Amino acid sequence: MANVIVIGAQWGDEGKGKITDLLSRSADVVVRSQGGVNAGHTIVVQGKTFKLHLIPSGILYPNTECIIGSGTVIDPKVLLQELEQFQSLEVSTENLFISQTAHVTMPYHRLLDMASETRRGKHKLGTTGRGIGPTYADKSERTGIRIIDLMNPNGLQEKLEWTINYKNVILEKLYNLSPLNPEAVIEEYLEYAEQLRPYVVDSSLKIAEAIQKRKNILFEGAQGTLLDLDHGTYPYVTSSNPIAGGACVGAGVGPTVIDRVIGVAKAYTTRVGEGPFPTELHGKVGKLLGNRGAEFGTTTGRRRRCGWFDGVIGRYAVRINGLDCLAITKLDVLDELEEIKVCIAYELNGKTCNHLPSNAKEFAQCKPIYETLPGWQQSTTNCRVLDDLPQTALSYLKFLAELMETPIAIISLGASRDQTIIVEDPIHGPKRALLNVNGEPVSSTFD
Ligand code: GDP
Ligand code: IMO
Ligand code: MG
């Protein structure tokens, strides 16, 4: 039995969907606990591509239960479209469960998200425009609508009438937008409620029962460490807690039930949306990474900004999440490069800086200090065991593992399930905490 958190170690889109799908073969339950339809997780199985926003990436396994937990925010319209996608492909959604205490993204949340971005002008955050910030803001302000409210039509009508009239004042007076028609919204959402009703459960109780039965639970992260509301690159962050600790809060489990935390990181870095990005590449190499890596947002289709691997961020992700091991994805994207740079520290005001500055202005001034490594200039997409990898690729991975003092358990070399090297058992293999006498991670992996 093992309960495992899979977390994004960078700015999102690290390949969490692929890794979750891969590990789900030994999971009984997969839980999403943070974020909403801002997430876009891609799974490629037998040539078919699935894009998931809310449904956990374990859904392709018929016996795996998938839970959308309390800490998520649910846009019913998008969720129902996702359900249809799977039903039309004859993938069963019988094992999907939705938390009754998750908050609901309403039409006014989407409108307010987009309106506030427009109002911010050049100071915009570059959100996905999916209403995520306003939904979490209402949750904190205690004016949110929860799934449990949707399940109670009478109470819902009263609550929504009040809330929509209140939001209409903001839409009209602050943003000069047309007001929403409360009756039409209520009717639409009552219809969604009936379609979602069969899936709604007390999710933390369901997870607790699974824990009691010693089932294997996988907590699928959304977004990434640097997008965390408390520990990310504020204000250029999302409005939830994508870090490992957030998985416990969002699922409603105590930290003592977690056996392992796996961090997913690309072999380089990407970021979508605004905000400082020290290793960003604006020239030819950045374009090459974007094109080879097909770096377009799963949710918004925006071009992702690309840059070299940032070890300062990597070490930060290890610390903030307590990572036990890493899954390094998209190594194949580097295949053509003659040389590859890795940021080992920053230079800030003439001094070396080994830690992520909390101040966004300081972070924007950080200049990366690079170590340059040779590329391998050959395809790795068909490698299936470590010995298949070119020596220079192994050296690159060893460098990353040492930089982050964390063993690499999984290497991904393509979008499909089989384009993967399992270096060590990611769930039961060596943990980062087990260091040898020299303080090095216990891993003979690349030696
Ligand atoms: P997530 O949000 O962390 O689940 O990541 P996304 O699905 O948004 O973005 C990752 C993209 O990279 C998807 O299109 C995946 O199919 C793809 N992908 C995942 N792993 C690999 C890999 O090792 N190599 C390549 N070339 N593509 C990958
Ligand atoms: P997955 O789960 C990458 C980014 C947005 C924006 C910031 C705030 O696929 O890794 P929001 O709409 O959340 O208020 O936007 O966060 N962002 C993501 N970037 N992957 C994601 O999810 C993201 N979810 C939000 O681009 O910069
Ligand atoms: Mg994504």
Side-chain angles (χ1 to χ4, degrees), residues 129-394:
R130 298 297 190 267
I132 304 302
T135 313
Y136 278 113
D138 277 4
K139 173 179 174 172
S140 300
E141 209 193 6
R142 291 147 295 173
T143 52
I145 306 290
R146 302 195 296 175
I147 292 288
I148 203 166
D149 299 318
L150 281 195
M151 298 299 118
N152 294 293
N154 291 337
L156 178 71
Q157 202 132 347
E158 196 183 320
K159 209 166 173 189
L160 268 183
E161 250 165 45
W162 183 89
T163 312
I164 294 171
N165 285 325
Y166 169 63
K167 298 290 178 186
N168 275 344
V169 177
I170 304 172
L171 288 171
E172 283 185 279
K173 302 272 188 268
L174 188 61
Y175 294 117
N176 216 10
L177 292 172
S178 310
L180 288 163
N181 175 341
E183 285 76 37
V185 174
I186 292 166
E187 198 184 311
E188 185 185 347
Y189 278 72
L190 284 176
E191 173 59 34
Y192 294 150
E194 288 321 304
Q195 293 182 60
L196 292 179
R197 191 180 292 282
Y199 300 98
V200 176
V201 293
D202 179 336
S203 59
S204 74
L205 181 61
K206 194 160 176 61
I207 297 166
E209 285 167 355
I211 291 169
Q212 208 157 30
K213 289 183 192 146
R214 305 190 72 72
K215 293 196 169 173
N216 299 304
I217 304 172
L218 199 161
F219 299 87
E220 176 184 9
Q223 288 76 53
T225 304
L226 276 291
L227 291 172
D228 187 271
L229 181 60
D230 290 280
H231 301 283
T233 48
Y234 192 89
Y236 301 99
V237 294
T238 190
S239 300
S240 65
N241 290 105
I243 59 167
C248 295
V249 178
V253 302
T256 45
V257 308
I258 304 299
D259 297 292
R260 189 158 287 235
V261 185
I262 303 173
V264 186
K266 279 177 189 166
Y268 51 99
T269 311
T270 63
R271 170 163 212 180
V272 56
E274 306 301 317
F277 179 0
T279 64
E280 183 169 14
L281 292 162
H282 296 283
K284 223 171 61 195
V285 180
K287 259 202 196 114
L288 179 136
L289 295 178
N291 291 338
R292 282 188 58 85
E295 295 296 357
F296 293 93
T298 312
T299 300
T300 58
R302 289 178 293 176
R303 192 174 250 285
R304 296 175 184 147
R305 301 154 66 192
C306 297
W308 296 120
F309 189 91
D310 187 331
V312 180
I313 281 171
R315 283 194 300 263
Y316 182 72
V318 169
R319 167 159 71 86
I320 289 288
N321 296 298
L323 297 184
D324 290 309
C325 63
L326 292 160
I328 298 292
T329 60
K330 303 189 100 163
L331 187 74
D332 55 299
V333 174
L334 305 179
D335 282 352
E336 282 181 5
L337 295 171
E338 205 174 320
E339 54 180 37
I340 304 168
K341 294 187 181 181
V342 176
C343 168
I344 53 166
Y346 301 139
E347 190 208 301
L348 177 63
N349 301 326
K351 290 196 186 122
T352 302
C353 172
N354 289 305
H355 301 285
L356 186 78
S358 306
N359 182 323
K361 271 201 180 134
E362 276 185 7
F363 186 43
Q365 286 161 12
C366 283
K367 300 266 175 296
I369 300 173
Y370 287 120
E371 182 93 17
T372 303
L373 288 92
W376 41 95
Q377 295 189 284
Q378 54 181 290
S379 173
T380 56
T381 52
N382 293 322
C383 297
R384 295 293 176 270
V385 291
L386 273 187
D387 281 348
D388 293 342
L389 282 175
Q391 196 53 50
T392 30
L394 284 172

Side-chain angles (χ1 to χ4, degrees), residues 11-13 16 38-41 126-128 223 227 237-238 272-273 302:
W11 272 292
D13 300 328
K16 299 175 292 295
N38 48 349
H41 297 182
T127 72
T128 58
Q223 288 76 53
L227 291 172
V237 294
T238 190
V272 56
R302 289 178 293 176

Side-chain angles (χ1 to χ4, degrees), residues 5-75:
I5 297 176
V6 171
I7 218 80
Q10 294 160 323
W11 272 292
D13 300 328
E14 298 90 348
K16 299 175 292 295
K18 167 173 171 167
I19 300 300
T20 302
D21 165 69
L22 191 77
L23 298 178
S24 290
R25 66 182 169 207
S26 49
D28 302 301
V29 183
V30 180
V31 184
R32 265 282 305 271
S33 58
Q34 294 289 324
V37 300
N38 48 349
H41 297 182
T42 317
I43 314 175
V44 181
V45 179
Q46 287 166 354
K48 272 194 202 142
T49 301
F50 302 87
K51 291 180 187 296
L52 306 172
H53 300 291
L54 272 166
I55 296 179
S57 301
I59 196 73
L60 297 180
Y61 296 86
N63 298 321
T64 302
E65 291 188 332
C66 287
I67 300 178
I68 305 176
S70 309
T72 61
V73 290
I74 296 177
D75 185 327

